Amino acid sequence: MISQKKKILIVGAKFGEVYLNAFLEDHPWIAPVGLVARGSPRARRLAHAHAVPQYTSVEDVPGPIDGACVVVRSAIVGGDGTRLAETLLARGVSVLQEHPVHPDDVQRLQDAAQGNGLSYRVNPFYRHARAPRTFIRAAREVQAQTGQAPVFARFMTSRQLLYSMLDLICLALAWNPATVSVRLSGKVGPFQGLLLEAADRRADLLLQTTMDRDDPDQHSLVMHSGQLLWPSGTLTHVATFGPVVWSPTLYMTGHLDDRMCLYQDAARIGLNAPTGRVLADAAACWSDAFERDGAEGVRCALEEWLHPGTTGDGTARAATSDPAYDLALSRLWHHVMHCAGPIAYEDHEPPVRVDCGRLGRAVTETAA
C-alpha cells in the first residue's frame, strides 16, 4: 500500500521527468507523492501522466514526506535548486539534490541536515545508469583478477558533464576525490587536456572548452567516454549509454617456438580465446536511454539514498555512501573547473543528423 511506502517529492519538471520515469513501473517501497514545478504545460502533462498532484511551491506540499529530489539547477549554474533544498531541509525533509552543487553549498546543506537529523546527498546520476555502472564494475573486476592498476587511463567529457565524469573516474580507479591533484596539459582540438593524479597513478582527461550560452545542456561533443589499459587488455566505455567493451590483449603462448602453427596449435597457444566481449550494449535509442537506463539509475540512486547498502549495484558503496565523498567530489569538480579556465561560449547550430540505418547499409554494401 502507498501508506507503507517511502513518500518522495519530485521538485523540477525538466530533468525531473527522468526521476518520475523511475516510477513507470511500481516500486515496492518508494512512491512519488507530488511534483513541484512552475506550472508549465510540461509539468501539468507529467503530473497527469503519473497521477500525482502538482504544486507550484514546496511550501504548499502537505506532509509528512520522507524525502525530496531537487532536480532544479543549483545556485552555481544559475538556478533555484540550492534555495529549494535549503527550504526543504528547514521544513524537516531530507534532500537528494541533482548535481552539480558548489562545495560551499554542499558543506552548508550537509551541516543543516546533520543538525536536524536529516539526510542531504548530491546525486551524480550517471554512476547508477547501466553502462557506466558496468564500466565501474568491470574496472574493479579486472584490477581484482590481475592485481594491477591500469597502466594508462584516458577520459573525455564536456563542461556540462564534468562533475559526473569525475565521479566515474574516481569510482573506476578506486580514488578518493579528496586526494586527486590536477594540472593542465596541452590543448587537443576543441578539448583542454588535464592530468589527474592520485595514489601514484594518473589519468588523462580531455575537457571540451566550448558551451552554448543559450542552450547549455546540449552540444557536448562527448558526454562520457573512457578507456583503461592493462597488459591484459583494454576496457572501453564508448559513450554514456554504452557500449562497454573488453578487448583482451593478443598474447600467444610459445610464440617463439618454431614448432607451433597458428591453426594446428590454436588452443595450445591461446588463439581460441575471445578477441573481445561487449559487457553492456548501447541503448537502442535515446528514448530508451532516458526512459529505461536513466529511470533504472534513479531507482538505484533512491534505494541507495533511502536504504544504504540494500541495492547491491557494485559501485563502491562503502565510499559513496559517505557524505564526505559528496563534498570531496564537489571540491574536485570546482578545482578542475578553475584549472581549466573560463568557458568559451559559442553559438552552435543543430548538428547534422547521420542516418544510422543508411550508415549501416553503406558499410555492409562496401564490405560486400
Side-chain angles (χ1 to χ4, degrees):
M1 294 176 60
I2 295 294
S3 60
Q4 298 172 331
K5 294 185 177 185
K6 295 285 186 179
K7 298 177 180 179
I8 300 299
L9 179 70
I10 307 298
V11 182
K14 185 71 170 177
F15 199 65
E17 180 176 357
V18 179
Y19 279 66
L20 284 171
N21 286 344
F23 301 100
L24 290 172
E25 296 181 7
D26 185 57
H27 193 283
W29 51 272
I30 308 174
V33 294
L35 171 65
V36 177
R38 294 177 177 174
S40 67
R42 178 197 301 112
R44 293 194 295 271
R45 289 178 63 190
L46 288 173
H48 180 265
H50 289 271
V52 295
Q54 185 208 330
Y55 308 96
T56 56
S57 170
V58 294
E59 288 85 356
D60 296 335
V61 181
I65 303 167
D66 295 299
C69 299
V70 176
V71 200
V72 177
R73 294 183 194 277
S74 69
I76 195 171
V77 285
D80 291 331
T82 305
R83 179 186 62 80
L84 290 166
E86 191 170 23
T87 300
L88 286 159
L89 288 169
R91 182 179 163 177
V93 178
S94 292
V95 169
L96 180 68
Q97 184 172 2
E98 183 66 20
H99 75 286
V101 184
H102 191 285
D104 291 347
D105 291 331
V106 174
Q107 180 73 78
R108 181 168 52 83
L109 294 172
Q110 284 183 345
D111 291 345
Q114 185 177 14
N116 291 308
L118 302 170
S119 169
Y120 170 79
R121 300 303 307 273
V122 179
N123 183 19
F125 183 77
Y126 290 97
R127 73 161 75 136
H128 299 288
R130 183 175 52 91
R133 189 171 70 238
T134 299
F135 179 70
I136 294 165
R137 287 177 173 177
R140 295 297 185 92
E141 178 62 22
V142 172
Q143 290 179 84
Q145 287 192 30
T146 63
Q148 299 172 328
V151 298
F152 180 76
R154 180 177 62 187
F155 300 89
M156 300 175 70
T157 193
S158 63
R159 296 275 186 149
Q160 303 94 309
L161 294 153
L162 173 62
Y163 192 105
S164 51
M165 183 78 261
L166 292 170
D167 181 52
L168 299 184
I169 292 171
C170 288
L171 293 180
L173 298 178
W175 282 359
N176 178 350
T179 66
V180 178
S181 64
V182 184
R183 58 187 173 91
L184 286 177
S185 55
K187 288 190 175 182
V188 182
F191 295 92
Q192 171 64 60
L194 298 113
L195 184 62
L196 311 180
E197 294 183 279
D200 297 322
R201 299 290 176 178
R202 62 176 56 185
D204 289 317
L205 175 62
L206 295 179
L207 179 64
Q208 184 177 337
T209 58
T210 61
M211 282 181 64
D212 191 307
R213 190 186 303 274
D214 296 326
D215 196 3
D217 290 332
Q218 301 201 92
H219 304 291
S220 293
L221 294 172
V222 180
M223 291 177 63
H224 306 88
S225 182
Q227 196 171 48
L228 301 176
L229 279 65
W230 286 266
S232 303
T234 301
L235 180 66
T236 304
H237 182 196
V238 178
T240 302
F241 294 104
V244 176
V245 181
W246 170 250
S247 306
T249 300
L250 171 62
Y251 181 80
M252 293 182 285
T253 303
H255 177 58
L256 300 179
D257 188 337
D258 61 7
R259 296 168 298 176
M260 295 292 184
C261 297
L262 292 179
Y263 307 107
Q264 294 176 334
D265 300 299
R268 292 178 63 190
I269 62 179
L271 292 184
N272 288 348
T275 58
R277 181 170 179 180
V278 177
L279 304 177
D281 291 321
C285 61
W286 287 108
S287 181
D288 281 356
F290 289 110
E291 289 191 7
R292 187 193 67 185
D293 294 3
E296 178 191 3
V298 170
R299 289 168 75 96
C300 288
L302 289 173
E303 290 167 357
E304 180 182 302
W305 174 47
L306 295 170
H307 283 300
T310 61
T311 62
D313 69 5
T315 55
R317 181 163 296 100
T320 59
S321 63
D322 181 359
Y325 179 94
D326 291 357
L327 182 57
L329 181 63
S330 181
R331 285 173 172 164
L332 175 60
W333 166 76
H334 192 254
H335 181 50
V336 173
M337 288 286 282
H338 177 76
C339 289
I343 297 169
Y345 288 103
E346 295 181 357
D347 293 328
H348 291 78
E349 296 294 328
V352 177
R353 295 279 187 188
V354 173
D355 186 323
C356 291
R358 179 179 169 185
L359 179 62
R361 290 190 298 273
V363 172
T364 303
E365 292 165 2
T366 301

